[in-house]
Structure formats: C-alpha cells, structure tokens
Amino acid sequence: MSRSGNKTVPTDQSVEDFLEAVQPPGKADDSRALDAVFRKTTGFSPVMWGPSIVGYGRYHYRYKSGREGDFLATGFSPRKAALSIYIMPGYADFGDILSRLGKHKLGKSCLYVNKLADVDLDVLSELIHAGLEGLNRYWPVEPT
C-alpha cells in the first residue's frame, strides 16, 4: 500500500489568524465572507491545509494504481491574483450551475474569482454543495 506523500496536509495553523493576515483588506473581507459561506454550506469547521488553503471536510482516496492519501473535500485560498475555490471532483458536471454563477475562470478542480461581488453567493453555495455530493459518490467525505 503506497501513501501519496501529499505536500498539502492539514496543519495546526489558526484559520482565524490566517484570514486576518490576508492582504489587501478587501481580499481579507472576501475571505471571511467566503469562510462563512463554506461553513454554512458544508456544516464543517475549517482547517488549514498547508500554509494557504482553508479546507472544509476531508476524504481518503485510493486509486487503482495503489496510490492513496487524504485531501480536503472543498475549500479556498485567497491567492494574490484571485480567490481560488476548490471543488474536488472538478467542474465538468456543473455547467448549469456555473452558467448562473457570475464572473469566474476555471481550472481542473479550481474556480478563480477576482472578488466575491462578481458572483452570486447563493449559486456558489449550490456549487459547493453539488461538489461535495459528487465527491461523496467516489469517496466518503468526513468532517474536519
């Protein structure tokens, strides 16, 4: 049984301290608002994953290759360029929701939003919920 050796692992760093230190202040405000959306939508308490990702829930994966590990179920990171929002199964099946979200860019499992004012928070909550349901079909999601 091989372990993944993921670089991104849970830490004991305080989520509140991390969010307070986000710069500029507008991004810190958006980060605290995003934290509230994730807490309400997931029902999970946040945990820092690595130095800069706020994660909600976790799952254990095991691939056919034998590689396995643990990772955050969903979360976000207030990056310099944009807010990065992580939906682990990826966004391929969520075109209908994304079409209603507002201004964003997509990566494989990452949604980039410049500022929360650009998106509909109710639709974002719907997307987070759908992502957790999708992930839970593959690997059970546990609280953090």
Side-chain angles (χ1 to χ4, degrees):
M1 177 170 18
S2 86
R3 287 300 225 181
S4 68
N6 281 339
K7 293 179 184 175
T8 306
V9 296
T11 72
D12 292 331
Q13 180 183 2
S14 161
V15 171
E16 289 74 17
D17 290 349
F18 171 74
L19 294 177
E20 285 301 317
V22 170
Q23 291 295 323
K27 189 160 279 184
D29 292 343
D30 275 0
S31 296
R32 286 189 292 274
L34 205 45
D35 175 48
V37 169
F38 272 95
R39 285 176 190 248
K40 183 178 179 186
T41 303
T42 67
F44 300 143
S45 296
V47 170
M48 291 301 301
W49 286 74
S52 62
I53 299 175
V54 182
Y56 304 81
R58 67 188 306 153
Y59 67 100
H60 183 80
Y61 61 85
R62 181 175 293 124
Y63 297 127
K64 289 179 184 172
S65 66
R67 181 176 180 219
E68 65 179 288
D70 298 291
F71 207 64
L72 62 116
T74 191
F76 73 95
S77 181
R79 306 281 186 196
K80 187 175 183 176
L83 295 164
S84 298
I85 300 169
Y86 303 102
I87 305 288
M88 286 309 122
Y91 293 95
D93 298 333
F94 304 127
D96 175 58
I97 299 171
L98 289 167
S99 71
R100 297 181 282 115
L101 181 61
K103 187 177 174 186
H104 66 277
K105 293 180 182 172
L106 284 181
K108 184 175 181 185
S109 292
C110 194
L111 177 78
Y112 302 102
V113 174
N114 290 332
K115 56 188 181 299
L116 284 189
D118 290 343
V119 297
D120 182 318
L121 295 183
D122 289 336
V123 175
L124 180 59
S125 180
E126 183 183 342
L127 181 63
I128 294 165
H129 182 76
L132 283 175
E133 282 187 339
L135 178 61
N136 202 49
R137 284 189 213 111
Y138 294 100
W139 296 289
V141 173
E142 302 171 351
T144 42

